[in-house]
Amino acid sequence: MTRAGTHTLALYTTKAVIVLDSEGKRLLAKYYAADYPTAKEQRVFEKALFDKTKKLNSEVVLLDSQIIVYKNSHDVFVYFVGTMDENELILMSALQSFYEALSMLLSYV
């Protein structure tokens, strides 16, 4: 939010898309914001994220003043990271679409 309570409009509503394996190691990650500019900072964030979500049964968590929606299936964790101003239902919809597309693509392998 900016001054006077108005929201800033941006093209990207997702700050990051992260896919981790069952041990918390990166399979895929794309950061759209410069919050974690180095690979080391990204790994630290991903480790904290995995440690927080590996035993939870929820779909939405807060970490470092960010809303994170995630889905886990078998041995893969898929995360979408957004700002605190972002609507978690929109993030969850984007996550679900990504997850279903990935499932369809990998079902033929």
Side-chain angles (χ1 to χ4, degrees):
M1 287 180 94
T2 60
R3 277 187 255 146
T6 61
H7 291 280
T8 57
L9 297 177
L11 178 61
Y12 297 114
T13 59
T14 304
K15 293 174 76 173
V17 176
I18 304 166
V19 180
L20 303 177
D21 68 4
S22 62
E23 297 173 356
K25 294 188 175 117
R26 179 192 294 188
L27 298 175
L28 170 101
K30 176 64 179 167
Y31 288 84
Y32 297 103
D35 294 348
Y36 307 99
T38 65
K40 183 178 180 183
E41 291 174 332
Q42 292 173 3
R43 282 193 301 271
V44 168
F45 173 70
E46 291 164 11
K47 181 175 177 1
L49 182 59
F50 182 75
D51 289 342
K52 184 166 185 168
T53 60
K54 66 183 173 185
K55 294 186 181 183
L56 291 178
N57 288 331
S58 66
E59 297 177 332
V60 180
V61 294
L62 295 174
L63 180 66
D64 293 341
S65 298
Q66 300 174 96
I67 294 177
I68 301 159
V69 295
Y70 72 99
K71 190 173 196 73
N72 64 331
S73 175
H74 305 291
D75 58 350
V76 175
F77 288 79
V78 181
Y79 301 94
F80 272 45
V81 181
T83 64
M84 287 294 289
D85 296 332
E86 190 56 54
N87 185 337
E88 61 270 5
L89 295 176
I90 292 175
L91 283 174
M92 186 56 80
S93 177
L95 170 65
Q96 187 65 31
S97 298
F98 179 79
Y99 182 81
E100 287 175 8
L102 198 59
S103 296
M104 287 174 43
L105 287 172
L106 296 177
S107 69
Y108 296 111
V109 176

